[in-house]
Amino acid sequence: FLFPYTGEHPFNHLIDTLKDGDRKYFNPQKMNDARYDKLPLSIRVLLEAAIRKCDGFYVKEEDVHNILDWSEQQNVAEVPFPPARVLLQDFTGIPAMVDLAAMRDAVTKHGADPSLVNPVCPTDLIVDHSLQIDLNKCAIQNAPNPGGGDSQSQGPPSRPSPARPTPRRGSQCGGERGSCSKGGCSDTPGRPATAVQQIENTPLLYTIHIHEFLTFFLRLSPFPLKWCSKAFKNVNVVPPDVGAVHQLNLEYLSQVVQESQGFIYPDSVVGTDSHTTMINGLGILGWGVGGIESEAVMLGQPISLTLPQVVGCRLVGSVNILATSIDIVLGITKHLRQAGIAGKFVEFFGPGMSQLSVPDRTTIANMCPEYNATVSFFPVDHVTLKHFKQTNFTEEKLELLEAYLKAVKLFRSYEDSSEDPQYSEVIEINLSSMVPHVSGPKRPQDRVAVSSMKEDFQSCLNEKVGFKGFHISKEKQESLVPFLHGGQEYELAHGSVVIAAVISCTNNCNPSVMLTAGLLAKKAVEAGLIVKPYIRTSLAPGSGMVTHYLNTSGVLPYLSQLGFEVIGYGCATCVGNTAPLPETVSEAIKEGDLVACGVLSGNRHFEGRLCDCVRANYLASPPLVVAYAIAGTVSINFEKEPLGVTSEGKEVYLRDVWPTREEVQQIEQDKVISSIFTELRARREKGNTFWNNLECPESVVFPWDPKSTYIRSPSFFNKLCKEVQPPQSIENAHALLFLGDKVTTDHISPAGSIARVSAAAKYLLSKRLTPREFNSYGARRGNDAVMTRGTFASIKLQNRLIGKPGPKTVHIPSGQTLDVFEAVERYQRDGIPLIILAGKQYGSGNSRDWAAKGPYLLGVRAVIAESFEKMHKNHLVGMGIAPLQFLPGQSADSLELCGKEKFTITLPEDLSPKQMLTVKTSSGKTFSVTTLFDNEMDVAFYRHGGLLRYVARTML
């Protein structure tokens, strides 16, 4: 993997060793070039990879010097980036493995050793995207504590459950295939089980039956993934039920510094998901790519990118004492979204960095797609090292990591501004501007700064009834209504809190907010504060792990003492599943026509949703829910008014009990992070029982099941000959489609459900499947017969040959309007090559591998367009389709093409990048186009018929 060729490495003179003398590395500092110290650290990672992988073909010495000259070459030079590893989820991983298995078949037919076919780049494939909810509304009563903590500390024991209702004979949840046959489930679709409605304070789980899911999944795909894990080198398959792809990438797969063949080098990754950028928070360079790019990297080809501009994001100031991690993440995201940084690298620095924990950093990096940056890079510093000490890293690994990163200047001390590199531009964000907000009182988009809450609520009382207003007359705004509860008298007013629910379903990505709530509760109890007993309080963690770390950190009993007891793991308050308020409370609200309030940390709070007599509802962070519950009102200025008064008459302000970020981060490091990593390591080592017991053959080539409609050997290697042939001119081709501007990959690629009248449906019906068994195109990505028939099957496709949207085209020789695939079958039967005519930005949108694979298997030889989306253009080249561009100022309309002509495109034997070609039509018109091959590598791929065939011939 380090050296893709034999012979003298052009940068041998840069090889250095650490003090122990055993580990070698390429040290860019030995170039003795002052420009290196001014490079952004993310660009230094690109430079090291180019130096290490320089082979004269994929990576040239010129590329190394262009990266070193980043200040002049940014946004100009095209450079390669060979990442250290590839991350796949199963939706894209299965097709990639199917392609490799088919490649083994192809080389076997030519007498070569199939075991030579392996990914060159280490690849992790995580099975997590195949989870599909076919079964629901199943109540699991008295659920065990999945977090592993002390179940006795989760609140008072549940009262005994009433007997489960006996279901009608033969009834099932939902009443259809895939429904649950467990007892105690509702007979009415859309309603929870009767038992769920009757039991209060009983932990319940609305869930699928994981046993049935795993059995279904493994029956669906019995061999491919398990076979791949054994047959291929450099492939690590993580089975179902271990964890989500990004969680595993952050917590298990990341190395920060890789080690191979006696060399060490920076960890880096490309993954088939836009949120791969989360890994940037650990100081690891990585971003999301499409399926074809990932396959290319697996097979040894680097990612090609224009040397990016790097925006430095300088963090200054101190975080507001009441601001949570979520406030900071959303605040930074808002600033970056407004800065216009699409397609650029963002690199964080500045004195404010020390205030961001690693979970904060990964959450900000996770938001990368929201502000359209390519990466959001957080170089490793002392905060990162402190985090690693709580993870799977040994002391030896940590010492190696720190020594290497400092040796190549990839370690930052943010307090030392002399280390600041040069950036394309710098955006400064003051962390003190990140003030806490709540949303309400009726809509989630109406944000209110906590410091302005009292004034804003008053204005809501004054305003006319609308999105925010309640129109309460002046004389009634000071109303106080006394009532009795539990034998004691209390008073309600406008703004009184009567519901307070801490829900962590939307806060699982960053445990600090739940810990802040717990520590606030602890300090409040120790200070002598209470929550009034009539307020309906509850705690619904998003998972058992949340309960586990609240328990291990010692704060759960204090939450319980304030009334925030664990009620279960599921949606409750957010969806209105709150028991009626005490009768005396609801009567007092009605008597005074009061605007009573609910405060919750969920994601929905429309007027009357929580309770019909609670008109004002606010979304707030978990600690603010606890704070407003203690205060008993939302009409409070926390800076000037006390949170509460103790029994001794002492005033306690919110600032007195609000935990510092340092306190929260310390407990997060000591209790949460270590618990998560210990649990994950145990699950990974134990594996999955169903997966472990799954048998698969030990064969070198994959035993295809001819009856399978999910996995099939693709036809990419049909008619593969050992010797590459000269480029064949495209003669008398017809236009399969005549398209306009902005045709997206969603128009091209098969996606979503399979329509019952589609070509793919006809194929599946011929295999004796019923429409309810069709599943989706995504689920059948391993079957090229389905995917080819689904290409250009979008009902929104605008084909100018037929003049209306739909998956149709004109078979030009006969003049008949047919499904696209049916027309293709006729063209292929008659040996007629195909092209596509298009306008501007062909292939825009998300990266989709079948947007190029599909047209290739349909027989499309070239696409002539006014412009292409760059990534899709690269996909076309990777599949052996020629991307041809009209000359500037020309288009199909300006050339007066109708799309029904025959097209002949002459390709010379010495095809070269950016070459001008001539197109002749049967109507007598002649025009020129430019080949969009960026380099000799693109030309080589095209000559071979695509990347897959190129690699197969290399094996031969």
Side-chain angles (χ1 to χ4, degrees), residues 6 107 170 517 590 653 662 798 914:
T6 58
V107 300
K590 293 174 183 176
Y653 288 79
E662 290 73 23
Q798 293 277 359
K914 304 293 185 181

Side-chain angles (χ1 to χ4, degrees), residues 510-820:
N510 196 321
S512 64
V513 288
M514 291 296 288
L515 287 174
T516 303
L519 288 171
L520 172 63
K522 180 176 184 290
K523 291 190 173 190
V525 169
E526 291 172 345
L529 299 180
I530 62 169
V531 173
K532 294 180 177 66
Y534 61 82
I535 299 176
R536 188 167 294 285
T537 51
S538 61
L539 170 59
S543 72
M545 180 55 71
V546 179
T547 304
H548 175 63
Y549 66 65
L550 289 176
N551 189 35
T552 56
S553 60
V555 299
L556 195 57
Y558 296 97
L559 285 164
S560 299
Q561 195 165 334
L562 291 180
F564 293 96
E565 298 171 334
V566 176
I567 62 165
Y569 307 93
C571 296
T573 309
C574 275
V575 295
N577 287 351
T578 301
L581 296 175
E583 189 173 340
T584 54
V585 174
S586 57
E587 287 178 352
I589 294 172
K590 293 174 183 176
E591 179 186 336
D593 191 26
L594 300 177
V595 180
C597 298
V599 187
L600 68 154
S601 62
N603 54 18
R604 290 291 184 271
H605 68 330
F606 301 113
E607 184 176 10
R609 186 183 182 108
L610 306 191
C611 183
D612 57 4
C613 62
V614 180
R615 285 189 277 174
N617 299 295
Y618 289 90
L619 299 182
S621 65
L624 283 176
V625 172
V626 176
Y628 281 115
I630 295 172
T633 179
V634 299
S635 184
I636 182 174
N637 185 324
F638 285 131
E639 297 175 5
K640 299 178 180 179
E641 300 175 64
L643 184 64
V645 180
T646 68
S647 57
E648 292 81 20
K650 179 184 176 182
E651 294 184 340
V652 180
Y653 288 79
L654 183 58
R655 58 179 172 268
D656 299 328
V657 295
W658 191 275
T660 65
R661 285 182 60 81
E662 290 73 23
E663 288 179 274
V664 174
Q665 290 175 1
Q666 189 63 51
I667 291 183
E668 192 173 16
Q669 288 290 336
D670 295 344
K671 303 293 184 180
V672 180
I673 303 298
S674 57
S675 294
I676 289 175
F677 278 86
T678 301
E679 190 264 351
L680 178 62
R681 183 166 57 248
R683 291 178 64 190
R684 180 69 183 98
E685 292 171 355
K686 180 181 178 181
N688 175 280
T689 304
F690 304 99
W691 176 267
N692 294 342
N693 294 335
L694 181 65
E695 296 181 358
C696 76
E698 301 288 339
S699 58
V700 178
V701 293
F702 182 69
W704 304 98
D705 179 1
K707 296 180 181 179
S708 175
T709 56
Y710 281 96
I711 303 293
R712 197 180 96 126
S713 181
S715 53
F716 300 130
F717 303 99
N718 288 359
K719 300 179 181 179
L720 177 70
C721 56
K722 201 167 186 177
E723 301 297 330
V724 62
Q725 302 299 312
Q728 299 294 312
S729 294
I730 303 171
E731 297 182 354
N732 296 318
H734 276 304
L736 175 63
L737 299 162
F738 186 10
L739 305 172
D741 296 338
K742 296 183 180 178
V743 174
T744 71
T745 51
D746 286 338
H747 293 115
I748 307 168
S749 180
S753 59
I754 299 173
R756 297 191 178 194
V757 295
S758 64
K762 293 175 184 176
Y763 168 80
L764 293 173
L765 288 170
S766 74
K767 300 296 180 181
R768 300 185 178 180
L769 271 67
T770 63
R772 72 194 311 172
E773 295 171 310
F774 285 175
N775 213 319
S776 64
Y777 284 112
R780 296 189 181 274
R781 292 176 75 164
N783 187 328
D784 66 308
V786 173
M787 300 300 283
T788 305
R789 287 165 171 80
T791 303
F792 294 114
S794 169
I795 60 173
K796 296 182 180 180
L797 183 71
Q798 293 277 359
N799 181 9
R800 294 172 64 178
L801 292 177
I802 61 172
K804 59 182 181 180
K808 302 281 186 179
T809 194
V810 173
H811 178 250
I812 294 170
S814 67
Q816 288 183 276
T817 298
L818 304 170
D819 284 339
V820 172

Side-chain angles (χ1 to χ4, degrees), residues 37-56:
D37 289 346
K38 290 299 181 182
L39 290 179
L41 275 71
S42 52
I43 300 300
R44 296 180 198 180
V45 177
L46 296 182
L47 178 63
E48 189 282 338
I51 290 172
R52 176 169 39 89
K53 297 285 291 192
C54 186
D55 63 355

Side-chain angles (χ1 to χ4, degrees), residues 738-745 747-748 796-800 836-845 864-869 886 890-893:
F738 186 10
L739 305 172
D741 296 338
K742 296 183 180 178
V743 174
T744 71
T745 51
H747 293 115
I748 307 168
K796 296 182 180 180
L797 183 71
Q798 293 277 359
N799 181 9
R800 294 172 64 178
I836 290 173
L837 297 175
K840 301 180 180 71
Q841 299 178 37
Y842 179 79
S844 57
I864 306 176
E866 292 178 63
S867 64
F868 292 81
E869 197 279 331
F886 289 109
Q890 292 188 351
S891 65
D893 289 336

Side-chain angles (χ1 to χ4, degrees), residues 823-869:
V824 165
E825 286 185 306
R826 292 199 187 184
Y827 284 126
Q828 290 182 346
R829 181 190 62 197
D830 298 332
I832 298 175
L834 298 171
I835 66 167
I836 290 173
L837 297 175
K840 301 180 180 71
Q841 299 178 37
Y842 179 79
S844 57
N846 292 331
S847 171
R848 301 190 187 280
D849 51 344
W850 273 99
K853 287 182 174 179
Y856 171 81
L857 293 179
L858 290 176
V860 174
R861 298 278 306 279
V863 178
I864 306 176
E866 292 178 63
S867 64
F868 292 81
E869 197 279 331

Side-chain angles (χ1 to χ4, degrees), residues 864 885-887 890 895 916-919 926-930:
I864 306 176
Q885 187 171 37
F886 289 109
L887 297 185
Q890 292 188 351
L895 295 169
M916 197 89 72
L917 302 180
T918 299
V919 182
T926 299
F927 59 94
S928 296
V929 293
T930 303

